[in-house]
């Protein structure tokens, strides 16, 4: 399963990446699994650990940790929004 | 008609308000909101914001604004909606956002305008970074914005 992951705002700066393409191991089924998987990279990636104030979207719709991730999805992680 | 723009350029408030009722006689009320960059100072003082850079998520931004406007359309009797949100570098005094709503009566126009702003603040993927003498500082989300949006929960 291959997905595109995007990072925005302070999270993008912390991680040093705006996007990446990932081939996911078979045991990753949901957005929560993906977030754990990324946080386990350690170092700056701990910014994605459970409990950190990070929001996510799948295919440009806000999504919670229980939502399934599918092949070719566009997943995004970002801090709470501050527009307007 | 509903129109959404996400753009770097400034906009003409008067022209946008006029366009909401141009050529029609069924509009009895146009309510609008304009958001501006403030030269905030931190508690303690001296740390004035000299500029702000707005980042957004192209694609999702437009999609989320369309969803918010569609939701407003479902809740009130609206005759037209216009949302403009700028991105890029803006200095204090510059306009950031415009929301204009046309309706037959003021009640629907006022309510929908406020609803769209409250939802935009908590759902549209924009992020502000302030330039201060001490360097760049990402603006934190405010709980007050969450409670403002929560008021509209059905």
């Amino acid at each position: 399963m291959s997905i595109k992951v995007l990072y925005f705002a302070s999270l993008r700066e912390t991680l040093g990446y705006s996007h990446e393409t990932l081939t996911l191991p078979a045991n990753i089924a949901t957005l929560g699994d993906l977030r754990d998987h990324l946080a386990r990279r350690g170092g700056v990636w701990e910014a994605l650990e459970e409990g950190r104030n990070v929001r996510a979207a799948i295919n440009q719709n806000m999504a919670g940790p229980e939502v399934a991730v599918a092949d070719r999805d566009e997943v995004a992680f970002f801090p709470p929004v501050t527009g307007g | 008609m509903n129109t959404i723009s996400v753009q770097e350029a400034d906009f003409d408030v008067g022209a946008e308000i006029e366009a909401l009722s141009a050529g029609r006689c069924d509009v009895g009320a146009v309510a609008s909101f304009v958001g501006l960059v403030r030269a905030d100072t931190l508690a303690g003082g001296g740390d004035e914001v000299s500029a702000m850079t707005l980042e957004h998520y192209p694609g999702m931004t437009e999609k989320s604004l369309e969803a918010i406007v569609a939701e407003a359309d479902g809740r009130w009797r609206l005759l037209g909606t216009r949302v403009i949100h700028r991105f890029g570098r803006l200095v204090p005094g510059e306009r950031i956002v415009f929301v204009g709503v046309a309706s037959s009566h003021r009640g629907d126009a006022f309510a929908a305008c406020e609803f769209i702003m409250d939802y935009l603040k908590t759902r549209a993927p924009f992020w502000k970074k302030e330039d201060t003498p001490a360097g760049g500082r990402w603006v934190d989300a405010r709980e007050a914005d969450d409670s403002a949006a929560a008021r509209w929960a059905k």
Side-chain angles (χ1 to χ4, degrees):
Chain A
M1 180 161 79
S2 173
I3 61 163
K4 189 174 182 188
V5 189
L6 309 175
Y7 307 100
F8 288 95
S10 54
L11 194 59
R12 169 177 55 75
E13 288 186 353
T14 301
L15 301 176
Y17 285 92
S18 61
H19 64 276
E20 61 179 316
T21 302
L22 273 181
T23 304
L24 293 183
N27 61 340
I28 292 179
T30 66
L31 191 56
D33 296 341
L34 171 64
R35 191 170 151 177
D36 284 347
H37 175 74
L38 293 169
R40 263 186 240 116
R41 287 171 169 175
V44 293
W45 294 92
E46 287 169 10
L48 287 167
E49 274 177 348
E50 206 183 334
R52 302 291 187 99
N53 206 356
V54 172
R55 306 292 162 88
I58 295 183
N59 300 325
Q60 305 186 349
N61 293 307
M62 293 280 192
E66 72 292 347
V67 178
V69 179
D71 192 34
R72 292 169 175 266
D73 273 353
E74 177 179 297
V75 177
F77 292 103
F78 42 80
V81 304
T82 55
Chain B
M1 197 180 77
N2 300 323
T3 325
I4 283 153
S5 302
V6 180
Q7 62 190 44
E8 283 196 79
D10 192 17
F11 45 83
D12 180 335
V13 176
E16 296 299 341
I17 290 173
E18 272 184 38
L20 281 161
S21 64
R24 53 195 300 178
C25 297
D26 52 344
V27 172
V30 176
S32 66
F33 173 85
V34 178
L36 306 159
V37 181
R38 263 193 328 264
D40 262 353
T41 35
L42 280 183
D47 203 12
E48 191 160 298
V49 174
S50 53
M52 168 178 282
T53 302
L54 269 140
E55 175 175 336
H56 75 114
Y57 180 174
M60 181 172 169
T61 312
E62 292 81 355
K63 210 168 154 176
S64 63
L65 293 175
E66 277 159 21
I68 292 166
V69 168
E71 170 93 27
D73 256 329
R75 292 186 180 217
W76 294 280
R77 277 195 303 258
L78 308 180
L79 297 171
T81 308
R82 178 80 170 114
V83 178
I84 307 171
H85 203 303
R86 296 177 70 191
F87 62 92
R89 190 172 182 278
L90 301 170
V91 298
E94 279 198 85
R95 288 177 275 270
I96 306 174
V97 61
F98 174 86
V99 175
V101 180
S103 185
S104 301
H105 302 283
R106 71 180 185 284
D108 283 359
F110 273 133
C113 188
E114 192 169 23
F115 167 87
I116 290 169
M117 269 313 298
D118 284 347
Y119 267 39
L120 182 156
K121 285 281 227 185
T122 53
R123 298 185 178 197
F126 288 98
W127 301 273
K128 288 181 183 139
K129 189 179 190 179
E130 297 171 338
D131 291 344
T132 74
R137 177 179 72 200
W138 288 98
V139 173
D140 284 327
R142 297 166 67 236
E143 261 177 50
D145 290 333
D146 283 332
S147 9
R151 290 182 299 157
W152 301 100
K154 275 184 180 170

